[in-house]
Amino acid sequence: MFKLIISEKPSVSASIAYCIGATEKISDGDTFYWQGNGYIVTNALGHLFGIGMPEDYGWGKWEIETLPLIPQEFKLFPLKGYSGQIKLLKKLICRDDVTEIINACDAGREGECIFRYIYNYFCCTKPTKRLWISSLTDESIKQGMKNLLDGKEKNNLFVAGFTRAKADWILGMSLSRLYSIVNDDSHKVGRVKTPVLNIVANRDEVIAAFTKRPFYKVVLENGAECENVFDTAEQAEAVRAKCNGKIAVVSFSKTEQKKENRPLLHSLTSLQQEANDVYGMTAADTLKYAQCLYEKKLLTYPRTDSNYLSDDMIPFVESIVKCLARYDGERVQRLQEQGLIIDKRIIDNSKISDHHAIIPTNLIGRLDDEKLDDNEQRIVKLVINRFLCAVDKPYIYSETKYEFLVEDEIFKLTVKTPIEWGWKQYKLSEPTELDDHADKVLSVLYSENATFTADNIEVKQGETKPPKHFTEVICYERGIRNRP
C-alpha cells in the first residue's frame, strides 16, 4: 500500500522524494513519478484546472439579457497543454493500492486550490493529509512529514481561494461582456486591474493639468533656510539684501539623542518594495526569484504577509546567523560579539497567520556553491541583509534644531550627527551619509544667544512639482497591490 504525495512543481517532488526514501524514478510515457518506502511522489505543474469560460456554462452568445453571468454551480475544467500530467495524476489517484493522499503543494491559498482542484475534479474520496512547511530543507521536510495536518484543517484556506476565483469570474466575465456590448468594442474588465487603471488614469489627469510655479528660498551659508518661502525673486532678494552681513542671533538650540529602530524582517510585500526601490525589479519578478530561491532551499516560503517569527524559532535565528559567517564573516563576528537582539520586533506569535517572515534557511551557508543568476543574487542579498539588520543594534544619532534670528527673519536648521550607526550602515535602499548640511556645521556648535555674522546669504530657486506617476513603490505605500 502507498501514500500518494502531490506537490506543486517537479523540483519540490524531487526534494520530498529524496527525503522520504522514494528514490525509484518510474517513467510513464512522457511523464514520471517517484516511488519507494511506501510513498509515491508526483506533482502538478501549477494550476492544471480552472473554472472555465462562459461558453462552458452555455453562454455562447454575447447578449445583455444574460447578464450578470452567475453559474448555478461552478465546475472545474482541465487547462490546455497539461493532458499528460493530468492523465498521470488520475492514474495514480485511482490506484487501488493508494490509500491516502498528501497535499504537498505550496503552503498557501493558491497551493491549497491547486491540490483541491485536482482532488475534486477526479471526485476523489480518499483521506487526505497536509504537509505544511515554510522551507524545503531536508530538516523541514522530514519534520513536516512527522507532523502532517489533517487535510480538512486548511478547508477555510481553500474556501477563501475558491471564493476569490468565483468572485473574480462573475465580476470580470459579466462586466467585460457588458462594456463590450454597450460600447461595441472589446473590453476586459477585472476586479483588480480596472480600479487600479482608474487610479492611474486619475493621477495622470492631475499631472497633465498641473502648472509649475517657481518659489524662492533665502539660505544662510550654514544651510539654514528662512521660514518664509517667496513667490517672486524680488521678494527673496529683498530679504537677502536686508539680512546679508548683519548679525545673526541663535534664538533657539535644542539637542536630543534619538534612535531609528531596526527594520522588520521581510514579508513578500516589503521584499517586493525594496527590490523595486533598490534594483527596479517588478513585484512579479521579485516573487518569481524568491520562489526559485525557496525551491533551491536557500529562503523560506515567500508568499507571506508576516514580518515576524514564532518564539520557537529563536534557536533557528541564532544558527542562521552562524551559517552566514561564510557570506560576511566580519559582520557576523561583530553581531555575535555585541550580542544578537532578538526581541518583540522579530518574535511575535500573534502577528503570524499562515507563514512567518521570509528569512534565509540553515542551508544559506552553501550560498557560494549555488549557481544563481543576477536577479536571484539580488533577492537573496536583500533577504540576508534585512535578516542581519533585524538582529543588529538601532541607529543612534543626535539631532540638533537651530533657529537663527537675522533682522526679524527666522532661519531654521536641523543637523543630525551619528553616534552609533548600528544596522543603518548596511542599509541598501538609501545612502548612509550625514545630513546634507551636517558637514558644514559640525565644526561650529552654536549655543543659544550666541551671535555670528550672516555673510554669503543666497537666494535659491525651486519650482513646485506635480504628483509623481505611480510606480510599484508608491502603490505599495498606498496599499494599491494584490495580497500574497
Side-chain angles (χ1 to χ4, degrees):
M1 295 298 169
F2 292 94
K3 296 179 180 180
L4 173 63
I5 300 176
I6 301 176
S7 77
E8 197 164 316
K9 294 181 179 180
S11 60
V12 179
S13 285
S15 296
I16 294 173
Y18 171 79
C19 286
I20 62 175
T23 55
E24 183 183 1
K25 187 175 182 180
I26 299 178
S27 296
D28 190 331
D30 294 332
T31 59
F32 67 89
Y33 58 92
W34 302 90
Q35 183 171 300
N37 199 28
Y39 292 99
I40 296 171
V41 186
T42 189
N43 54 270
L45 296 169
H47 277 283
L48 299 179
F49 299 92
I51 54 178
M53 298 296 289
E55 291 77 8
D56 296 316
Y57 297 91
W59 290 303
K61 294 183 178 180
W62 289 47
E63 300 173 327
I64 202 165
E65 292 77 17
T66 62
L67 303 179
L69 305 177
I70 305 177
Q72 289 187 348
E73 179 183 3
F74 277 92
K75 301 176 182 179
L76 294 171
F77 301 89
L79 301 180
K80 294 180 179 179
Y82 300 106
S83 58
Q85 197 66 24
I86 291 172
K87 181 179 178 182
L88 174 65
L89 283 164
K90 179 180 179 180
K91 178 180 178 180
L92 295 176
I93 289 171
C94 296
R95 275 176 50 165
D96 292 336
D97 58 350
V98 170
T99 58
E100 181 179 274
I101 302 177
I102 299 172
N103 175 6
C105 293
D106 284 359
R109 184 170 56 192
E110 286 308 303
E112 200 67 26
C113 285
I114 286 171
F115 174 80
R116 299 294 187 100
Y117 286 0
I118 295 169
Y119 185 85
N120 293 341
Y121 181 80
F122 294 120
C123 302
C124 185
T125 58
K126 294 179 181 180
T128 62
K129 297 289 185 182
R130 186 52 158 118
L131 175 64
W132 192 265
I133 55 178
S134 290
S135 76
L136 288 175
T137 64
D138 294 354
E139 179 183 355
S140 179
I141 292 172
K142 290 176 181 177
Q143 189 66 25
M145 289 298 294
K146 289 180 181 179
N147 297 281
L148 291 171
L149 306 177
D150 187 283
K152 296 178 182 178
E153 192 165 329
K154 296 298 179 179
N155 274 352
N156 287 343
L157 203 61
F158 167 66
V159 170
F162 194 33
T163 300
R164 185 182 72 166
K166 291 186 287 187
D168 285 352
W169 194 99
I170 292 171
L171 185 71
M173 298 297 181
S174 299
L175 291 182
S176 294
R177 286 198 171 191
L178 173 64
Y179 282 99
S180 296
I181 293 170
V182 170
N183 294 328
D184 194 24
D185 198 359
S186 177
H187 290 281
K188 293 183 178 179
V189 179
R191 174 182 62 89
V192 175
K193 71 178 181 181
T194 303
V196 170
L197 180 61
N198 180 65
I199 293 170
V200 172
N202 288 341
R203 171 60 64 89
D204 284 349
E205 287 182 2
V206 171
I207 294 172
F210 184 84
T211 302
K212 294 181 180 180
R213 291 186 300 104
F215 62 85
Y216 302 86
K217 292 182 177 182
V218 182
V219 184
L220 299 184
E221 188 176 18
N222 63 14
E225 296 180 353
C226 183
E227 68 175 357
N228 294 315
V229 178
F230 304 97
D231 294 327
T232 67
E234 291 76 15
Q235 292 173 322
E237 180 58 33
V239 172
R240 188 203 71 79
K242 179 178 70 170
C243 297
N244 197 48
K246 301 298 174 42
I247 297 299
V249 179
V250 183
S251 58
F252 177 81
S253 174
K254 183 178 181 180
T255 300
E256 293 181 307
Q257 182 171 300
K258 295 186 175 183
K259 70 177 182 180
E260 187 176 335
N261 215 338
R262 309 103 64 202
L264 299 174
L265 295 168
H266 269 314
S267 64
L268 175 58
T269 297
S270 66
L271 178 60
Q272 288 170 322
Q273 182 174 354
E274 189 175 28
N276 182 264
D277 189 20
V278 178
Y279 300 118
M281 294 177 66
T282 66
D285 280 346
T286 299
L287 174 57
K288 172 185 174 181
Y289 294 113
Q291 180 75 21
C292 291
L293 291 163
Y294 165 68
E295 292 174 19
K296 291 180 179 180
K297 309 183 182 184
L298 296 175
L299 296 184
T300 58
Y301 186 64
R303 293 178 183 269
T304 175
D305 59 0
S306 178
N307 302 95
Y308 297 87
L309 305 176
S310 55
D311 53 17
D312 62 339
M313 296 184 70
I314 292 176
F316 191 52
V317 172
E318 296 169 342
S319 69
I320 294 171
V321 172
K322 292 179 182 178
C323 291
L324 288 168
R326 282 184 63 187
Y327 177 76
D328 192 337
E330 183 178 341
R331 184 176 180 183
V332 169
Q333 182 179 357
R334 185 184 65 80
L335 284 171
Q336 291 176 326
E337 288 175 352
Q338 73 182 26
L340 305 181
I341 301 178
I342 306 176
D343 55 12
K344 276 286 186 178
R345 197 161 180 80
I346 296 176
I347 306 296
D348 194 335
N349 292 3
S350 68
K351 295 181 179 179
I352 302 173
S353 51
D354 292 327
H355 293 285
H356 58 68
I358 304 171
I359 60 173
T361 71
N362 56 8
L363 297 182
I364 197 66
R366 72 181 193 188
L367 179 62
D368 291 341
D369 302 327
E370 289 287 333
K371 293 182 179 179
L372 305 181
D373 66 26
D374 290 344
N375 285 321
E376 288 174 331
Q377 290 177 15
R378 288 168 179 158
I379 295 302
V380 78
K381 179 181 179 180
L382 292 179
V383 174
I384 290 173
N385 186 67
R386 179 62 68 90
F387 175 77
L388 294 177
C389 283
V391 297
D392 207 337
K393 289 182 178 180
Y395 165 54
I396 301 173
Y397 61 95
S398 68
E399 180 181 88
T400 303
K401 292 186 176 182
Y402 294 108
E403 290 185 9
F404 309 110
L405 186 63
V406 187
E407 296 294 302
D408 296 326
E409 297 288 344
I410 297 175
F411 294 79
K412 295 183 177 182
L413 175 67
T414 299
V415 178
K416 295 179 182 180
T417 305
I419 297 173
E420 183 175 9
W421 279 106
W423 69 271
K424 201 165 187 179
Q425 65 183 302
Y426 302 104
K427 189 167 184 178
L428 299 176
S429 56
E430 65 184 38
T432 54
E433 58 188 42
L434 303 183
D435 193 74
D436 288 344
H437 305 300
D439 58 337
K440 296 182 180 180
V441 298
L442 286 177
S443 59
V444 181
L445 300 177
Y446 302 99
S447 57
E448 282 195 25
N449 301 317
T451 61
F452 61 92
T453 302
D455 292 323
N456 301 318
I457 299 178
E458 294 181 316
V459 172
K460 294 187 176 181
Q461 180 180 347
E463 63 180 13
T464 56
K465 296 181 179 180
K468 294 181 179 179
H469 287 283
F470 280 121
T471 65
E472 289 197 87
V473 171
I474 293 175
C475 288
Y476 286 130
E477 291 171 348
R478 302 195 175 198
I480 307 170
R481 61 183 186 270
N482 276 321
R483 299 291 292 171

